[in-house]
Amino acid sequence: MQVLALGMGRTGTVSMQAALETLGCAPCYHGYTPLYNISHCSLWTRAFEAKYHSNGHPFTRPDWDNLLGTYGAVTDTPAICFASELITAYPEAKIVLVERDIESWYRSFEGIINSYYMRINDIMEVLDPQLTGPTARLFAYVFRDRKGFFRAGSKQELQQNAKVVYREHYAHVRAITPKERLLNFQLKEGWGPLCEFLGKDVPGVPFPRLHEGDALRERVRGFQVRGMLNVVRNLMVGILSIVVGWVAVVWAFRRGG
């Protein structure tokens, strides 16, 4: 673990992921990573239960290594929900904090709020217990848990708490991080400050400037397609089971008659 990029989601985390991987801090764990590594969801759930609900033991270095040991960096949710734990667990890692104007950030984050609270998500969670179910339970600790990261149990509470938690998060990370381990960074600064801080050579390519909303929508869309295929399969299995059961009952009735 070389870098903990602990800026809030929607502050350029996709660009930071690409930048860190270009610098050799690869692979970089992002918020979409659990969508394609479903076995991670149960580990994150254990970590959330321990920290926010005092259920189970708090994660230590071996626990984090079990989840993140093959990654060179982390960024975005859910990792940022464990800023203090990760800073302690990985004392060799540098901390990069990308912040954005809070009003601009909230306008972007509100799109996540609206998408998360769409009714179809609740339906998919029930119909697709293989993929949507585990990820929904994981991110509920972030967006739908009054003891969780945003301390919100509803859409309205999430909207009310978002800016407060944003400010608290940045203040907390800065307060607990030794100055020599911390870089307050803006994407517009490019490679220079980041490479100097990490002791890396400046790459011969432009600093990545990825549109976070578009990049995440594309990745989530692929996950949703997989979820819908699971729903179709599950419904077909259910229908087939009903048909087989009905045929068996009819056959038994006729035979008995």
Side-chain angles (χ1 to χ4, degrees):
M1 185 63 69
Q2 299 178 57
V3 179
L4 303 171
L6 298 177
M8 295 280 282
R10 293 291 174 148
T11 61
T13 58
V14 174
S15 295
M16 278 302 300
Q17 180 192 33
L20 291 171
E21 291 185 338
T22 299
L23 294 176
C25 307
C28 178
Y29 202 102
H30 191 274
Y32 72 82
T33 304
L35 304 185
Y36 297 91
N37 297 270
I38 296 301
S39 62
H40 292 191
C41 292
S42 61
L43 297 175
W44 282 114
T45 296
R46 281 174 47 204
F48 274 107
E49 277 290 316
K51 176 173 181 175
Y52 292 96
H53 291 268
S54 301
N55 180 18
H57 72 83
F59 270 32
T60 59
R61 176 67 178 257
D63 299 301
W64 290 118
D65 280 347
N66 187 36
L67 177 58
L68 303 171
T70 61
Y71 292 85
V74 299
T75 186
D76 205 83
T77 309
I80 66 168
C81 303
F82 300 91
S84 57
E85 290 80 2
L86 292 174
I87 290 171
T88 300
Y90 295 106
E92 71 278 13
K94 299 290 186 70
I95 316 303
V96 178
L97 204 54
V98 179
E99 192 169 5
R100 180 178 177 182
D101 172 76
I102 193 168
E103 297 301 330
S104 173
W105 169 80
Y106 182 76
R107 286 193 295 271
S108 179
F109 182 70
E110 198 164 26
I112 292 180
I113 298 175
N114 293 331
S115 297
Y116 181 82
Y117 274 93
M118 291 176 62
R119 178 59 179 164
I120 186 62
N121 295 329
D122 298 328
I123 297 172
M124 286 290 294
E125 181 179 354
V126 174
L127 297 180
D128 175 28
Q130 294 91 347
L131 291 177
T132 309
T135 56
R137 286 190 291 274
L138 161 58
F139 286 103
Y141 289 101
V142 183
F143 302 117
R144 207 173 203 163
D145 182 352
R146 287 192 174 92
K147 293 184 178 180
F149 185 69
F150 279 102
R151 305 189 297 274
S154 67
K155 180 179 181 178
Q156 291 72 28
E157 289 178 353
L158 182 54
Q159 291 170 327
Q160 292 169 2
N161 294 351
K163 294 179 183 179
V164 173
V165 173
Y166 182 96
R167 294 188 179 97
E168 289 177 352
H169 174 75
Y170 282 94
H172 175 64
V173 172
R174 291 183 176 118
I176 65 174
T177 305
K179 291 184 178 180
E180 65 275 9
R181 290 180 63 191
L182 176 64
L183 173 67
N184 292 292
F185 180 63
Q186 295 185 10
L187 299 182
K188 65 182 181 181
E189 296 178 274
W191 290 120
L194 184 62
C195 291
E196 180 181 358
F197 178 65
L198 298 179
K200 305 283 188 178
D201 293 331
V202 176
V205 295
F207 190 90
R209 304 296 179 117
L210 304 175
H211 190 283
E212 190 164 3
D214 291 343
L216 292 177
R217 273 191 293 272
E218 181 179 349
R219 290 162 176 170
V220 171
R221 190 176 296 116
F223 174 80
Q224 290 172 333
V225 169
R226 293 167 60 206
M228 287 303 300
L229 290 175
N230 278 345
V231 169
V232 172
R233 184 191 65 187
N234 294 339
L235 290 176
M236 291 297 293
V237 169
I239 292 171
L240 181 61
S241 299
I242 293 172
V243 170
V244 169
W246 179 78
V247 169
V249 169
V250 171
W251 179 81
F253 177 79
R254 290 180 176 177
R255 187 179 181 183

